[in-house]
Amino acid sequence: MAENDGRTGDGTGGDLVEDALRLVDGLQRRLLVAGVKRGVGAVVAPPPPKGDVWEEAIRLETATEPRPALEEVLDIVRTSAPEIAGHLGRAGLAVAGALGRTWGVLERSLEQSAPPPERAAGPEGGSGRTSPGSAGGE
């Protein structure tokens, strides 16, 4: 018998298998290279352009259903109340401080404008003035 070196009677059998293996090997290499290129390209390439923050917020806001009015008002109160309370607290402290200083100024001005207390002239501790009803003595 003749030695079987992988060829068939027409001389193409063994070469066909080797050719198929080479094609598969080449295809695997090309797929690997293409995958690496895509992977690197995906990492290196900038992301697809997205809208800015405002566009995203508007899209999210318009995509949702309108909320009930009470819920919106409560949300406004919840977010604004701390800021308003802080402002009102500082304003109240400023008003209290201003009133305290004003009261101090008024007290000093009243003390300075009031006549000094007179010494007692009589034994009863009176003011030394004669009453309009008395005629000067008895």
Side-chain angles (χ1 to χ4, degrees):
M1 272 187 62
E3 275 185 65
N4 190 355
D5 58 3
R7 295 184 183 197
T8 60
D10 58 358
T12 59
D15 292 334
L16 183 64
V17 171
E18 288 178 14
D19 289 338
L21 288 174
R22 274 185 269 153
L23 285 173
V24 168
D25 187 38
L27 181 63
Q28 284 178 343
R29 274 192 240 126
R30 286 185 182 179
L31 288 173
L32 183 63
V33 169
V36 168
K37 284 182 182 178
R38 279 196 195 131
V40 171
V43 172
V44 174
K50 290 190 341 184
D52 63 357
V53 175
W54 293 113
E55 288 177 13
E56 184 73 15
I58 290 171
R59 184 185 61 80
L60 291 175
E61 188 69 27
T62 56
T64 60
E65 294 180 13
R67 298 186 312 182
L70 178 63
E71 186 177 327
E72 287 186 34
V73 169
L74 291 176
D75 190 37
I76 291 169
V77 169
R78 181 182 55 81
T79 56
S80 300
E83 185 177 354
I84 292 171
H87 287 303
L88 289 177
R90 287 188 294 276
L93 289 175
V95 167
L99 286 176
R101 291 192 315 256
T102 304
W103 185 256
V105 168
L106 287 175
E107 283 183 336
R108 282 194 307 270
S109 68
L110 289 174
E111 287 173 357
Q112 291 173 355
S113 67
E118 298 176 356
R119 295 192 182 244
E124 293 101 24
S127 61
R129 294 184 187 171
T130 59
S131 63
S134 64
E138 284 186 50

